[in-house]
Amino acid sequence: MAESIARRDAADVIEACSAGLSPLGYVPALTTQTLAANGYSIESLCSTAITRAVWDAADMVVNMSGIPKQHAFIDCGKVEDWDVQDPYGTDPVLYQTIYEDIQRKVAQLAERLREAGQKDAPGKLGGGKVVGDHEK
């Protein structure tokens, strides 16, 4: 969900890409239904593992796996942990609640990146490639 939300709501500061530590191999139907019901694109969403190439290309990795970054990654310097419940296997109401939580977190991250960009180079927006590591 975070990838789709970031692509629409924060494309000015986030180049979103989703890759999981333990991908399902498919995007659950309730994920696509929740995104579509809230007006987000589900095109090109897929469930893939984080590869070395994706890791190397990322400026930031958002960890939503539930595993603390120091246990999930060898180099966790560019990793930010987000405490987000995994909706997989639950009902549409919980999917919506988790969607709203992720949407808030993406908005907060985007605002931080915008503010950082204004401090670093007035008139330009900060940001970069952000990889989320969960299939939500």
PDB file of all heavy atoms in Angstrom, residues 90-122:
ATOM      1  N   THR A  90      -6.738 -10.601   7.284  1.00  0.00           N
ATOM      2  CA  THR A  90      -7.775  -9.992   8.114  1.00  0.00           C
ATOM      3  C   THR A  90      -8.937  -9.519   7.249  1.00  0.00           C
ATOM      4  O   THR A  90      -9.046  -9.884   6.085  1.00  0.00           O
ATOM      5  CB  THR A  90      -7.203  -8.831   8.954  1.00  0.00           C
ATOM      6  OG1 THR A  90      -6.786  -7.774   8.078  1.00  0.00           O
ATOM      7  CG2 THR A  90      -6.025  -9.289   9.806  1.00  0.00           C
ATOM      8  N   ASP A  91      -9.751  -8.662   7.806  1.00  0.00           N
ATOM      9  CA  ASP A  91     -10.971  -8.211   7.127  1.00  0.00           C
ATOM     10  C   ASP A  91     -10.793  -6.819   6.511  1.00  0.00           C
ATOM     11  O   ASP A  91      -9.838  -6.117   6.821  1.00  0.00           O
ATOM     12  CB  ASP A  91     -12.135  -8.212   8.116  1.00  0.00           C
ATOM     13  CG  ASP A  91     -11.875  -7.269   9.281  1.00  0.00           C
ATOM     14  OD1 ASP A  91     -12.112  -6.053   9.135  1.00  0.00           O
ATOM     15  OD2 ASP A  91     -11.406  -7.751  10.330  1.00  0.00           O
ATOM     16  N   PRO A  92     -11.741  -6.415   5.654  1.00  0.00           N
ATOM     17  CA  PRO A  92     -11.637  -5.111   4.980  1.00  0.00           C
ATOM     18  C   PRO A  92     -11.575  -3.918   5.933  1.00  0.00           C
ATOM     19  O   PRO A  92     -10.924  -2.920   5.619  1.00  0.00           O
ATOM     20  CB  PRO A  92     -12.905  -5.057   4.122  1.00  0.00           C
ATOM     21  CG  PRO A  92     -13.270  -6.482   3.889  1.00  0.00           C
ATOM     22  CD  PRO A  92     -12.870  -7.201   5.145  1.00  0.00           C
ATOM     23  N   VAL A  93     -12.222  -4.002   7.076  1.00  0.00           N
ATOM     24  CA  VAL A  93     -12.200  -2.887   8.022  1.00  0.00           C
ATOM     25  C   VAL A  93     -10.780  -2.667   8.549  1.00  0.00           C
ATOM     26  O   VAL A  93     -10.296  -1.533   8.615  1.00  0.00           O
ATOM     27  CB  VAL A  93     -13.198  -3.136   9.183  1.00  0.00           C
ATOM     28  CG1 VAL A  93     -13.057  -2.073  10.264  1.00  0.00           C
ATOM     29  CG2 VAL A  93     -14.620  -3.172   8.649  1.00  0.00           C
ATOM     30  N   LEU A  94     -10.093  -3.736   8.894  1.00  0.00           N
ATOM     31  CA  LEU A  94      -8.717  -3.602   9.372  1.00  0.00           C
ATOM     32  C   LEU A  94      -7.791  -3.145   8.245  1.00  0.00           C
ATOM     33  O   LEU A  94      -6.894  -2.333   8.470  1.00  0.00           O
ATOM     34  CB  LEU A  94      -8.210  -4.904   9.990  1.00  0.00           C
ATOM     35  CG  LEU A  94      -6.844  -4.809  10.681  1.00  0.00           C
ATOM     36  CD1 LEU A  94      -6.797  -3.688  11.716  1.00  0.00           C
ATOM     37  CD2 LEU A  94      -6.487  -6.129  11.328  1.00  0.00           C
ATOM     38  N   TYR A  95      -8.008  -3.624   7.036  1.00  0.00           N
ATOM     39  CA  TYR A  95      -7.217  -3.140   5.896  1.00  0.00           C
ATOM     40  C   TYR A  95      -7.355  -1.630   5.760  1.00  0.00           C
ATOM     41  O   TYR A  95      -6.369  -0.921   5.546  1.00  0.00           O
ATOM     42  CB  TYR A  95      -7.655  -3.820   4.590  1.00  0.00           C
ATOM     43  CG  TYR A  95      -6.822  -5.012   4.204  1.00  0.00           C
ATOM     44  CD1 TYR A  95      -7.064  -6.264   4.758  1.00  0.00           C
ATOM     45  CD2 TYR A  95      -5.787  -4.902   3.287  1.00  0.00           C
ATOM     46  CE1 TYR A  95      -6.301  -7.368   4.396  1.00  0.00           C
ATOM     47  CE2 TYR A  95      -5.017  -5.994   2.923  1.00  0.00           C
ATOM     48  CZ  TYR A  95      -5.280  -7.227   3.485  1.00  0.00           C
ATOM     49  OH  TYR A  95      -4.520  -8.307   3.134  1.00  0.00           O
ATOM     50  N   GLN A  96      -8.577  -1.123   5.894  1.00  0.00           N
ATOM     51  CA  GLN A  96      -8.810   0.318   5.773  1.00  0.00           C
ATOM     52  C   GLN A  96      -8.089   1.071   6.885  1.00  0.00           C
ATOM     53  O   GLN A  96      -7.464   2.105   6.642  1.00  0.00           O
ATOM     54  CB  GLN A  96     -10.308   0.637   5.794  1.00  0.00           C
ATOM     55  CG  GLN A  96     -10.635   2.110   5.673  1.00  0.00           C
ATOM     56  CD  GLN A  96     -10.218   2.737   4.360  1.00  0.00           C
ATOM     57  OE1 GLN A  96     -10.177   2.081   3.321  1.00  0.00           O
ATOM     58  NE2 GLN A  96      -9.907   4.026   4.383  1.00  0.00           N
ATOM     59  N   THR A  97      -8.151   0.561   8.087  1.00  0.00           N
ATOM     60  CA  THR A  97      -7.475   1.198   9.224  1.00  0.00           C
ATOM     61  C   THR A  97      -5.966   1.248   8.984  1.00  0.00           C
ATOM     62  O   THR A  97      -5.321   2.281   9.231  1.00  0.00           O
ATOM     63  CB  THR A  97      -7.789   0.424  10.526  1.00  0.00           C
ATOM     64  OG1 THR A  97      -9.205   0.450  10.733  1.00  0.00           O
ATOM     65  CG2 THR A  97      -7.077   1.026  11.719  1.00  0.00           C
ATOM     66  N   ILE A  98      -5.420   0.160   8.501  1.00  0.00           N
ATOM     67  CA  ILE A  98      -3.968   0.109   8.250  1.00  0.00           C
ATOM     68  C   ILE A  98      -3.597   1.006   7.074  1.00  0.00           C
ATOM     69  O   ILE A  98      -2.574   1.696   7.103  1.00  0.00           O
ATOM     70  CB  ILE A  98      -3.515  -1.347   8.062  1.00  0.00           C
ATOM     71  CG1 ILE A  98      -3.664  -2.082   9.415  1.00  0.00           C
ATOM     72  CG2 ILE A  98      -2.080  -1.431   7.542  1.00  0.00           C
ATOM     73  CD1 ILE A  98      -3.560  -3.565   9.340  1.00  0.00           C
ATOM     74  N   TYR A  99      -4.447   1.045   6.048  1.00  0.00           N
ATOM     75  CA  TYR A  99      -4.240   1.971   4.931  1.00  0.00           C
ATOM     76  C   TYR A  99      -4.128   3.405   5.464  1.00  0.00           C
ATOM     77  O   TYR A  99      -3.228   4.160   5.090  1.00  0.00           O
ATOM     78  CB  TYR A  99      -5.388   1.845   3.914  1.00  0.00           C
ATOM     79  CG  TYR A  99      -5.638   3.118   3.170  1.00  0.00           C
ATOM     80  CD1 TYR A  99      -4.845   3.491   2.094  1.00  0.00           C
ATOM     81  CD2 TYR A  99      -6.643   3.986   3.586  1.00  0.00           C
ATOM     82  CE1 TYR A  99      -5.048   4.692   1.446  1.00  0.00           C
ATOM     83  CE2 TYR A  99      -6.858   5.175   2.945  1.00  0.00           C
ATOM     84  CZ  TYR A  99      -6.062   5.535   1.883  1.00  0.00           C
ATOM     85  OH  TYR A  99      -6.264   6.729   1.252  1.00  0.00           O
ATOM     86  N   GLU A 100      -5.043   3.788   6.350  1.00  0.00           N
ATOM     87  CA  GLU A 100      -5.045   5.145   6.895  1.00  0.00           C
ATOM     88  C   GLU A 100      -3.779   5.426   7.703  1.00  0.00           C
ATOM     89  O   GLU A 100      -3.229   6.524   7.640  1.00  0.00           O
ATOM     90  CB  GLU A 100      -6.310   5.367   7.742  1.00  0.00           C
ATOM     91  CG  GLU A 100      -7.576   5.395   6.894  1.00  0.00           C
ATOM     92  CD  GLU A 100      -8.859   5.293   7.704  1.00  0.00           C
ATOM     93  OE1 GLU A 100      -8.803   5.250   8.964  1.00  0.00           O
ATOM     94  OE2 GLU A 100      -9.939   5.235   7.081  1.00  0.00           O
ATOM     95  N   ASP A 101      -3.300   4.418   8.447  1.00  0.00           N
ATOM     96  CA  ASP A 101      -2.064   4.557   9.204  1.00  0.00           C
ATOM     97  C   ASP A 101      -0.877   4.762   8.253  1.00  0.00           C
ATOM     98  O   ASP A 101      -0.054   5.659   8.452  1.00  0.00           O
ATOM     99  CB  ASP A 101      -1.855   3.307  10.071  1.00  0.00           C
ATOM    100  CG  ASP A 101      -0.651   3.411  10.997  1.00  0.00           C
ATOM    101  OD1 ASP A 101      -0.276   4.527  11.422  1.00  0.00           O
ATOM    102  OD2 ASP A 101      -0.076   2.344  11.315  1.00  0.00           O
ATOM    103  N   ILE A 102      -0.805   3.951   7.219  1.00  0.00           N
ATOM    104  CA  ILE A 102       0.284   4.083   6.246  1.00  0.00           C
ATOM    105  C   ILE A 102       0.207   5.424   5.531  1.00  0.00           C
ATOM    106  O   ILE A 102       1.231   6.088   5.324  1.00  0.00           O
ATOM    107  CB  ILE A 102       0.268   2.909   5.243  1.00  0.00           C
ATOM    108  CG1 ILE A 102       0.606   1.598   5.968  1.00  0.00           C
ATOM    109  CG2 ILE A 102       1.245   3.161   4.091  1.00  0.00           C
ATOM    110  CD1 ILE A 102       0.387   0.354   5.125  1.00  0.00           C
ATOM    111  N   GLN A 103      -0.984   5.846   5.182  1.00  0.00           N
ATOM    112  CA  GLN A 103      -1.151   7.136   4.503  1.00  0.00           C
ATOM    113  C   GLN A 103      -0.615   8.272   5.379  1.00  0.00           C
ATOM    114  O   GLN A 103       0.082   9.172   4.887  1.00  0.00           O
ATOM    115  CB  GLN A 103      -2.622   7.369   4.164  1.00  0.00           C
ATOM    116  CG  GLN A 103      -2.861   8.627   3.359  1.00  0.00           C
ATOM    117  CD  GLN A 103      -4.324   8.906   3.135  1.00  0.00           C
ATOM    118  OE1 GLN A 103      -5.141   8.725   4.037  1.00  0.00           O
ATOM    119  NE2 GLN A 103      -4.658   9.332   1.929  1.00  0.00           N
ATOM    120  N   ARG A 104      -0.917   8.236   6.676  1.00  0.00           N
ATOM    121  CA  ARG A 104      -0.401   9.262   7.603  1.00  0.00           C
ATOM    122  C   ARG A 104       1.126   9.228   7.659  1.00  0.00           C
ATOM    123  O   ARG A 104       1.784  10.264   7.638  1.00  0.00           O
ATOM    124  CB  ARG A 104      -0.963   9.035   9.016  1.00  0.00           C
ATOM    125  CG  ARG A 104      -2.299   9.673   9.279  1.00  0.00           C
ATOM    126  CD  ARG A 104      -2.680   9.612  10.754  1.00  0.00           C
ATOM    127  NE  ARG A 104      -2.767   8.249  11.279  1.00  0.00           N
ATOM    128  CZ  ARG A 104      -3.825   7.452  11.145  1.00  0.00           C
ATOM    129  NH1 ARG A 104      -4.883   7.873  10.484  1.00  0.00           N
ATOM    130  NH2 ARG A 104      -3.816   6.243  11.667  1.00  0.00           N
ATOM    131  N   LYS A 105       1.684   8.027   7.745  1.00  0.00           N
ATOM    132  CA  LYS A 105       3.144   7.898   7.839  1.00  0.00           C
ATOM    133  C   LYS A 105       3.836   8.374   6.558  1.00  0.00           C
ATOM    134  O   LYS A 105       4.884   9.013   6.618  1.00  0.00           O
ATOM    135  CB  LYS A 105       3.521   6.459   8.170  1.00  0.00           C
ATOM    136  CG  LYS A 105       3.147   6.054   9.601  1.00  0.00           C
ATOM    137  CD  LYS A 105       3.487   4.613   9.869  1.00  0.00           C
ATOM    138  CE  LYS A 105       3.038   4.127  11.221  1.00  0.00           C
ATOM    139  NZ  LYS A 105       3.451   4.890  12.378  1.00  0.00           N
ATOM    140  N   VAL A 106       3.259   8.073   5.406  1.00  0.00           N
ATOM    141  CA  VAL A 106       3.819   8.561   4.140  1.00  0.00           C
ATOM    142  C   VAL A 106       3.761  10.086   4.106  1.00  0.00           C
ATOM    143  O   VAL A 106       4.732  10.742   3.712  1.00  0.00           O
ATOM    144  CB  VAL A 106       3.086   7.938   2.928  1.00  0.00           C
ATOM    145  CG1 VAL A 106       3.459   8.656   1.633  1.00  0.00           C
ATOM    146  CG2 VAL A 106       3.386   6.450   2.821  1.00  0.00           C
ATOM    147  N   ALA A 107       2.646  10.663   4.539  1.00  0.00           N
ATOM    148  CA  ALA A 107       2.509  12.122   4.550  1.00  0.00           C
ATOM    149  C   ALA A 107       3.548  12.758   5.480  1.00  0.00           C
ATOM    150  O   ALA A 107       4.148  13.788   5.139  1.00  0.00           O
ATOM    151  CB  ALA A 107       1.097  12.517   4.975  1.00  0.00           C
ATOM    152  N   GLN A 108       3.775  12.145   6.641  1.00  0.00           N
ATOM    153  CA  GLN A 108       4.775  12.670   7.578  1.00  0.00           C
ATOM    154  C   GLN A 108       6.182  12.586   6.991  1.00  0.00           C
ATOM    155  O   GLN A 108       6.965  13.529   7.115  1.00  0.00           O
ATOM    156  CB  GLN A 108       4.695  11.913   8.905  1.00  0.00           C
ATOM    157  CG  GLN A 108       3.429  12.199   9.677  1.00  0.00           C
ATOM    158  CD  GLN A 108       3.180  11.212  10.815  1.00  0.00           C
ATOM    159  OE1 GLN A 108       3.857  10.190  10.942  1.00  0.00           O
ATOM    160  NE2 GLN A 108       2.192  11.513  11.638  1.00  0.00           N
ATOM    161  N   LEU A 109       6.502  11.455   6.364  1.00  0.00           N
ATOM    162  CA  LEU A 109       7.814  11.306   5.730  1.00  0.00           C
ATOM    163  C   LEU A 109       7.986  12.336   4.614  1.00  0.00           C
ATOM    164  O   LEU A 109       9.023  12.996   4.510  1.00  0.00           O
ATOM    165  CB  LEU A 109       7.996   9.892   5.175  1.00  0.00           C
ATOM    166  CG  LEU A 109       9.261   9.652   4.343  1.00  0.00           C
ATOM    167  CD1 LEU A 109      10.519   9.937   5.154  1.00  0.00           C
ATOM    168  CD2 LEU A 109       9.274   8.227   3.802  1.00  0.00           C
ATOM    169  N   ALA A 110       6.975  12.491   3.791  1.00  0.00           N
ATOM    170  CA  ALA A 110       7.054  13.453   2.686  1.00  0.00           C
ATOM    171  C   ALA A 110       7.269  14.870   3.215  1.00  0.00           C
ATOM    172  O   ALA A 110       8.085  15.626   2.664  1.00  0.00           O
ATOM    173  CB  ALA A 110       5.791  13.384   1.836  1.00  0.00           C
ATOM    174  N   GLU A 111       6.590  15.220   4.285  1.00  0.00           N
ATOM    175  CA  GLU A 111       6.757  16.553   4.863  1.00  0.00           C
ATOM    176  C   GLU A 111       8.181  16.742   5.388  1.00  0.00           C
ATOM    177  O   GLU A 111       8.794  17.787   5.174  1.00  0.00           O
ATOM    178  CB  GLU A 111       5.739  16.786   5.981  1.00  0.00           C
ATOM    179  CG  GLU A 111       5.756  18.200   6.520  1.00  0.00           C
ATOM    180  CD  GLU A 111       5.510  19.263   5.462  1.00  0.00           C
ATOM    181  OE1 GLU A 111       4.790  19.016   4.477  1.00  0.00           O
ATOM    182  OE2 GLU A 111       6.079  20.372   5.607  1.00  0.00           O
ATOM    183  N   ARG A 112       8.726  15.721   6.050  1.00  0.00           N
ATOM    184  CA  ARG A 112      10.115  15.809   6.522  1.00  0.00           C
ATOM    185  C   ARG A 112      11.078  15.991   5.360  1.00  0.00           C
ATOM    186  O   ARG A 112      12.026  16.782   5.439  1.00  0.00           O
ATOM    187  CB  ARG A 112      10.492  14.546   7.304  1.00  0.00           C
ATOM    188  CG  ARG A 112       9.904  14.473   8.681  1.00  0.00           C
ATOM    189  CD  ARG A 112      10.481  13.379   9.580  1.00  0.00           C
ATOM    190  NE  ARG A 112      11.283  12.377   8.976  1.00  0.00           N
ATOM    191  CZ  ARG A 112      10.950  11.074   8.874  1.00  0.00           C
ATOM    192  NH1 ARG A 112       9.808  10.642   9.322  1.00  0.00           N
ATOM    193  NH2 ARG A 112      11.769  10.206   8.325  1.00  0.00           N
ATOM    194  N   LEU A 113      10.848  15.249   4.275  1.00  0.00           N
ATOM    195  CA  LEU A 113      11.725  15.359   3.103  1.00  0.00           C
ATOM    196  C   LEU A 113      11.601  16.728   2.446  1.00  0.00           C
ATOM    197  O   LEU A 113      12.593  17.300   1.996  1.00  0.00           O
ATOM    198  CB  LEU A 113      11.418  14.245   2.104  1.00  0.00           C
ATOM    199  CG  LEU A 113      11.760  12.827   2.573  1.00  0.00           C
ATOM    200  CD1 LEU A 113      11.230  11.793   1.580  1.00  0.00           C
ATOM    201  CD2 LEU A 113      13.257  12.660   2.778  1.00  0.00           C
ATOM    202  N   ARG A 114      10.383  17.250   2.394  1.00  0.00           N
ATOM    203  CA  ARG A 114      10.188  18.594   1.816  1.00  0.00           C
ATOM    204  C   ARG A 114      10.910  19.638   2.655  1.00  0.00           C
ATOM    205  O   ARG A 114      11.573  20.529   2.121  1.00  0.00           O
ATOM    206  CB  ARG A 114       8.699  18.912   1.710  1.00  0.00           C
ATOM    207  CG  ARG A 114       7.993  18.113   0.644  1.00  0.00           C
ATOM    208  CD  ARG A 114       6.502  18.461   0.557  1.00  0.00           C
ATOM    209  NE  ARG A 114       5.852  17.580  -0.388  1.00  0.00           N
ATOM    210  CZ  ARG A 114       4.954  16.635  -0.064  1.00  0.00           C
ATOM    211  NH1 ARG A 114       4.565  16.494   1.202  1.00  0.00           N
ATOM    212  NH2 ARG A 114       4.431  15.870  -0.993  1.00  0.00           N
ATOM    213  N   GLU A 115      10.761  19.527   3.975  1.00  0.00           N
ATOM    214  CA  GLU A 115      11.434  20.484   4.865  1.00  0.00           C
ATOM    215  C   GLU A 115      12.951  20.366   4.734  1.00  0.00           C
ATOM    216  O   GLU A 115      13.647  21.377   4.690  1.00  0.00           O
ATOM    217  CB  GLU A 115      11.001  20.255   6.306  1.00  0.00           C
ATOM    218  CG  GLU A 115       9.582  20.690   6.578  1.00  0.00           C
ATOM    219  CD  GLU A 115       9.097  20.323   7.972  1.00  0.00           C
ATOM    220  OE1 GLU A 115       9.888  19.789   8.785  1.00  0.00           O
ATOM    221  OE2 GLU A 115       7.913  20.560   8.246  1.00  0.00           O
ATOM    222  N   ALA A 116      13.459  19.159   4.676  1.00  0.00           N
ATOM    223  CA  ALA A 116      14.907  18.951   4.522  1.00  0.00           C
ATOM    224  C   ALA A 116      15.387  19.524   3.201  1.00  0.00           C
ATOM    225  O   ALA A 116      16.463  20.118   3.136  1.00  0.00           O
ATOM    226  CB  ALA A 116      15.248  17.463   4.608  1.00  0.00           C
ATOM    227  N   GLY A 117      14.614  19.370   2.162  1.00  0.00           N
ATOM    228  CA  GLY A 117      14.981  19.907   0.854  1.00  0.00           C
ATOM    229  C   GLY A 117      15.026  21.411   0.852  1.00  0.00           C
ATOM    230  O   GLY A 117      15.896  22.020   0.225  1.00  0.00           O
ATOM    231  N   GLN A 118      14.117  22.044   1.574  1.00  0.00           N
ATOM    232  CA  GLN A 118      14.097  23.500   1.653  1.00  0.00           C
ATOM    233  C   GLN A 118      15.302  24.026   2.433  1.00  0.00           C
ATOM    234  O   GLN A 118      15.852  25.065   2.107  1.00  0.00           O
ATOM    235  CB  GLN A 118      12.792  23.988   2.286  1.00  0.00           C
ATOM    236  CG  GLN A 118      11.581  23.773   1.407  1.00  0.00           C
ATOM    237  CD  GLN A 118      11.705  24.479   0.070  1.00  0.00           C
ATOM    238  OE1 GLN A 118      12.077  25.644  -0.003  1.00  0.00           O
ATOM    239  NE2 GLN A 118      11.390  23.780  -1.011  1.00  0.00           N
ATOM    240  N   LYS A 119      15.739  23.292   3.442  1.00  0.00           N
ATOM    241  CA  LYS A 119      16.908  23.705   4.221  1.00  0.00           C
ATOM    242  C   LYS A 119      18.189  23.509   3.418  1.00  0.00           C
ATOM    243  O   LYS A 119      19.091  24.329   3.473  1.00  0.00           O
ATOM    244  CB  LYS A 119      16.992  22.898   5.519  1.00  0.00           C
ATOM    245  CG  LYS A 119      15.932  23.264   6.515  1.00  0.00           C
ATOM    246  CD  LYS A 119      16.019  22.376   7.743  1.00  0.00           C
ATOM    247  CE  LYS A 119      14.825  22.603   8.641  1.00  0.00           C
ATOM    248  NZ  LYS A 119      14.736  21.611   9.701  1.00  0.00           N
ATOM    249  N   ASP A 120      18.253  22.395   2.669  1.00  0.00           N
ATOM    250  CA  ASP A 120      19.470  22.071   1.917  1.00  0.00           C
ATOM    251  C   ASP A 120      19.624  22.924   0.670  1.00  0.00           C
ATOM    252  O   ASP A 120      20.722  23.331   0.328  1.00  0.00           O
ATOM    253  CB  ASP A 120      19.476  20.588   1.507  1.00  0.00           C
ATOM    254  CG  ASP A 120      19.604  19.668   2.717  1.00  0.00           C
ATOM    255  OD1 ASP A 120      20.040  20.139   3.784  1.00  0.00           O
ATOM    256  OD2 ASP A 120      19.257  18.479   2.579  1.00  0.00           O
ATOM    257  N   ALA A 121      18.524  23.161  -0.020  1.00  0.00           N
ATOM    258  CA  ALA A 121      18.583  23.923  -1.270  1.00  0.00           C
ATOM    259  C   ALA A 121      17.254  24.644  -1.460  1.00  0.00           C
ATOM    260  O   ALA A 121      16.329  24.094  -2.043  1.00  0.00           O
ATOM    261  CB  ALA A 121      18.852  22.993  -2.451  1.00  0.00           C
ATOM    262  N   PRO A 122      17.141  25.862  -0.948  1.00  0.00           N
ATOM    263  CA  PRO A 122      15.879  26.587  -1.089  1.00  0.00           C
ATOM    264  C   PRO A 122      15.408  26.619  -2.542  1.00  0.00           C
ATOM    265  O   PRO A 122      16.192  26.830  -3.454  1.00  0.00           O
ATOM    266  CB  PRO A 122      16.226  27.993  -0.584  1.00  0.00           C
ATOM    267  CG  PRO A 122      17.375  27.772   0.346  1.00  0.00           C
ATOM    268  CD  PRO A 122      18.152  26.628  -0.263  1.00  0.00           C
TER     269      PRO A 122
END
